[in-house]
């Protein structure tokens, strides 16, 4: 018989790519298209014929080009590069990424605003996202954080309501501070993050000029199984630089996508952005010795007691090849860890372990980790099968485990925390809240001019439309508990109607 000629583009061995582009136009199914400028019609004036499959496919595909926008972190930019370990921390962690000084691990990072929509300005006063995906030899590790070291709430059950309050008013589609102040007036732990958001650092000059923080407390585990609490810090080589209010307004008028343009242009010009990764560590046996709860995401660990230790550096040296494929579809979740790194009992972190992966399954699909930007670089094999848009080529007949027809083995056991959780089933806040000390300490660390700007911003928000006398009094009382002088200054500036 006649030999069947095979195409050079074999989807069983090669994923679809521009490298296999044909020289002529085709449909999605690869059939030739002789005219991509005119629809098939009855005569030149129409009507159109339903049998014009190419027209229908083109319109239907266009109608489905967009995936759901991220609920948070919609506006952002991704880039690729590497992480290089610069210090030996094998006594703290057996993680592959830290296996030796000089070791480089490929990474992808996404830097973003948080609250507003995909096409919003990057000069708004808003937290920024700072997420890094490490493609290690033992799987992917996602370090998912922000540019501020603390968060608004400490329990994940409050997260949807927090975001609702920060998002635009559902009636007007405008962000309104009376809603934010109303919700946060029930959560004094938010005072601390407001000393960052309403401080001079609230609008970073660019993504290259902002720090990053893991926010939560994690664990490091060494080869012997010893557990150490850790917090992660990214220090920008360009320096931590922000825009003051008037500068931000000017930049907005000139280039409201300034941060994205700055990052892309810097990489294209060979001026590769770089951050130093530092850690703070704590002995879990001493976690109850301090005046704050070390697992509380609204608290920092004072650097005077827990100094920063440099462990590596991240360099972004490549822009993404395609914005949709590698920025819109890149997906992070703090639940993705590797041996040598583990979670703490932080209740906000614990809720994010489910929520972040779940939102990607909704937004992109159940098989989002098969997408090239999200897929692990190491050999891997899981027991997940089928589902929408599954592209994993399989021919084996056994799709269960264990089996005597398949010698798939369990991986070698790796260290995990050995402490035993104990206690009753309760719905209660943490005991050691101490919500006023750290915000007061931070305010007192500002110089006089910086304090003035902070006080003016807080007063402006409290004097805004629809902020009730009750809400104002709550905030004035709280700020006074943080710092007596701050409370007095705000009381003189905020109008509380009787």
């Amino acid at each position: 018989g006649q030999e069947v000629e095979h195409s050079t583009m074999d989807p069983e061995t090669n994923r679809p790519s521009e490298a296999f582009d044909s020289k002529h136009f085709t449909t999605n199914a690869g059939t030739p298209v002789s005219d991509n400028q005119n629809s098939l019609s009855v005569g030149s004036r129409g009507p159109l014929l339903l049998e014009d499959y190419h027209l229908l496919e083109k319109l239907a595909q266009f109608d489905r080009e967009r995936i759901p926008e991220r609920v948070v972190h919609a506006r952002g930019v991704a880039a690729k590069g590497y992480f290089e370990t610069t210090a030996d921390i094998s006594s703290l962690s057996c993680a592959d990424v830290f296996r030796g000084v000089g070791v480089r691990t490929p990474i992808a990072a996404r830097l973003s605003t948080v609250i507003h929509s995909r096409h919003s300005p990057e000069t708004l006063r808003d937290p920024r996202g700072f997420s890094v995906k490490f493609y290690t030899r033992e799987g992917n590790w996602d370090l998912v954080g922000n540019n501020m070291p603390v968060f608004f709430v400490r329990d994940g059950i409050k997260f949807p309501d927090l975001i609702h309050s920060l998002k635009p008013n559902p009636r007007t589609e405008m962000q309104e501070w009376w809603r934010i102040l109303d919700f946060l007036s029930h959560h004094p732990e938010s005072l601390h993050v407001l000393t960052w958001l309403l401080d001079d650092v609230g609008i970073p000059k660019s993504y290259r000029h902002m720090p990053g923080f893991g926010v939560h407390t994690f664990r490091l585990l060494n080869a012997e199984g010893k557990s150490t609490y850790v917090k992660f810090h990214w220090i920008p080589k360009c320096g931590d630089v922000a825009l003051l209010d008037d500068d931000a307004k000017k930049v907005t008028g000139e280039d409201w996508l300034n941060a994205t343009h700055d990052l892309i242009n810097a990489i294209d010009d060979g001026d590769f952005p770089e951050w130093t990764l530092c850690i703070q560590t704590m002995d879990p046996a001493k976690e109850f010795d301090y005046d704050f709860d070390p697992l509380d995401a609204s608290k920092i660990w004072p650097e005077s007691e827990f100094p920063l230790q440099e462990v590596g550096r991240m360099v972004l040296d490549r822009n993404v090849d395609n914005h949709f494929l590698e920025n819109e579809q890149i997906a992070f979740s703090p639940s993705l860890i590797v041996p040598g790194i583990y979670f703490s009992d932080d209740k906000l972190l614990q809720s994010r372990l489910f929520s972040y992966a779940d939102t990607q399954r909704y937004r992109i699909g159940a098989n989002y980790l098969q997408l090239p930007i999200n897929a692990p670089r190491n050999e891997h094999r899981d027991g997940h099968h089928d589902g929408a848009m599954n592209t994993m080529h399989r021919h084996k007949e056994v799709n269960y485990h264990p089996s005597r027809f398949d010698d798939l083995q369990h991986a070698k056991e790796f260290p995990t925390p050995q402490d035993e959780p104990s206690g009753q089933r309760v719905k209660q806040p943490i005991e050691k809240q101490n919500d006023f000390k750290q915000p007061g300490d931070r305010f007192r660390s500002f110089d006089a001019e910086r304090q003035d700007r902070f006080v003016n911003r807080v007063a402006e928000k409290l004097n805004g439309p629809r902020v009730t006398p009750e809400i104002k009094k709550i905030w004035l009382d709280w700020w006074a508990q943080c710092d007596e002088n701050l409370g007095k200054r705000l009381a003189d500036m905020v109008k509380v109607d009787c």
Side-chain angles (χ1 to χ4, degrees), residues 18-51:
E18 290 179 350
F20 300 99
D21 275 358
S22 66
K23 295 182 179 180
H24 59 261
F25 215 95
T26 72
T27 67
N28 283 1
T31 56
V33 172
S34 60
D35 189 339
N36 187 44
Q37 304 302 312
N38 299 286
S39 304
L40 184 64
S41 60
V42 178
S44 62
R45 297 182 66 240
L48 299 182
L49 295 175
L50 192 61
E51 65 191 59

Side-chain angles (χ1 to χ4, degrees), residues 405-421:
F405 294 92
D406 189 329
D407 62 354
L408 178 63
Q409 303 294 313
H410 287 120
K412 181 181 178 181
E413 190 172 356
F414 53 86
T416 56
Q418 297 302 303
D419 53 317
E420 297 182 6

Side-chain angles (χ1 to χ4, degrees), residues 295-310:
L295 307 189
D296 181 353
S298 71
K299 302 295 185 293
I300 62 167
W301 296 359
E303 292 181 22
S304 58
E305 298 181 66
F306 307 94
L308 297 180
Q309 308 169 52
E310 179 182 335

